[in-house]
């Protein structure tokens, strides 16, 4: 299976729900983490699909990192909680 090289976050900035869409439809066994800017893991989510929605309404306002891990591969993107 091909490795997912890209994922999209929307909306960004987010208020209540953050949608995570993977470019590769064969994405499976994906582990997602929400980290604060110190690297502390606040949330984890397992995914086998092409899109996930994460409730971020309880997070304080600020910048966070979404880290997507697939086997040895790891990707991260910033998002802003409003």
């Amino acid at each position: 299976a091909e490795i997912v090289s890209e994922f999209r976050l929307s909306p960004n900035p987010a208020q209540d729900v953050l949608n995570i869409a993977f470019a590769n439809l064969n994405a499976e066994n994906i582990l997602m983490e929400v980290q604060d800017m110190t690297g502390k893991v606040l949330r984890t989510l397992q995914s086998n699909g092409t899109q996930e929605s994460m409730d971020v309404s309880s997070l304080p306002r600020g910048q966070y990192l979404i880290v997507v891990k697939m086997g040895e591969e790891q990707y991260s993107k910033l998002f802003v909680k409003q």
Side-chain angles (χ1 to χ4, degrees):
E2 194 179 323
I3 298 295
V4 175
S5 60
E6 192 67 41
F7 66 99
R8 278 198 325 275
L9 302 176
S10 64
N12 190 4
Q15 282 187 305
D16 299 319
V17 174
L18 182 68
N19 298 302
I20 302 145
F22 304 103
N24 186 331
L25 302 184
N26 297 327
E28 52 187 48
N29 294 325
I30 296 172
L31 182 68
M32 286 177 287
E33 294 177 348
V34 178
Q35 298 180 3
D36 66 16
M37 298 315 287
T38 68
K40 182 180 173 199
V41 177
L42 306 174
R43 299 268 174 85
T44 57
L45 186 66
Q46 197 82 33
S47 175
N48 286 308
T50 56
Q51 181 149 349
E52 290 292 334
S53 294
M54 189 179 285
D55 180 2
V56 295
S57 58
S58 62
L59 291 176
R61 296 168 70 139
Q63 282 197 320
Y64 296 90
L65 211 52
I66 295 281
V67 179
V68 171
K69 299 177 179 180
M70 288 154 288
E72 300 297 306
E73 301 289 323
Q74 183 169 314
Y75 306 97
S76 58
K77 282 189 179 173
L78 277 174
F79 84 94
V80 175
K81 167 64 167 63
Q82 277 193 331

